[in-house]
Amino acid sequence: MSNSIKNILLAGVGGQGILLASEILSEVLMLAGHDVKKSEIHGMAQRGGSVTSHVRYGARVYSPIIPEGKADILFGFEQLETFRYLPMLRPGGRVLVNDLKILPPSVALGKEPYPQDIPAKIAGRFPETKVVHGMDLALEAGNPRTVNTVLIGALSRLMDIEEGVWLQAIRNMVPERFLDENLKAFELGRNA
């Protein structure tokens, strides 16, 4: 029996809901019957630093850390952070990137410019790149804090798991008082 392991790397900046997104993704994968391992790395996350979450799944997974160059999907919540983690992606891997720019301290202080045309540079190296206008869709869902759920919806289109499993995972992981707007955000992301 094959034990093909799939790897998804989530990358962004502290405060973007990456950890909840990785929890929802892991719940989806477990509901779909996979063995799942997850690991998170917070780099000064409370000060707007880099946050990544490694999610690995398959019949049997022994390590939560994705080896460099082995990610199947790079799931980026911010343009520059997504670009920074491209070396983690395998040749032919897929990129899902939010169109959001968050200025790192050196750019905010005027010491360096924010790199231009990042989505085009990513697509030049990885043709299977999809850009999602996460904030626009989250605002349409009624809450800008649902960007992570919008992106989960867009991710659901890249994976062979039924929509109902994703919806059940969101119901399991999101507090009841925020559920309706998150379900709407998921649908908007899924149809983006």
Side-chain angles (χ1 to χ4, degrees), residues 128-192:
E128 292 206 43
T129 294
K130 179 173 178 65
V131 179
V132 177
H133 304 286
M135 183 57 77
D136 293 344
L137 296 173
L139 290 171
E140 189 176 335
N143 186 338
R145 296 181 61 108
T146 61
V147 171
N148 55 352
T149 311
V150 167
L151 297 173
I152 285 282
L155 177 68
S156 74
R157 287 290 191 181
L158 303 181
M159 301 175 68
D160 189 22
I161 296 175
E162 292 181 17
E163 182 180 3
V165 176
W166 294 88
L167 295 173
Q168 184 61 52
I170 291 170
R171 288 186 180 97
N172 292 350
M173 305 302 295
V174 173
E176 182 71 29
R177 66 183 185 276
F178 302 121
L179 189 55
D180 287 345
E181 59 200 26
N182 276 277
L183 291 173
K184 184 173 181 183
F186 174 82
E187 288 303 324
L188 289 168
R190 189 168 167 84
N191 295 317

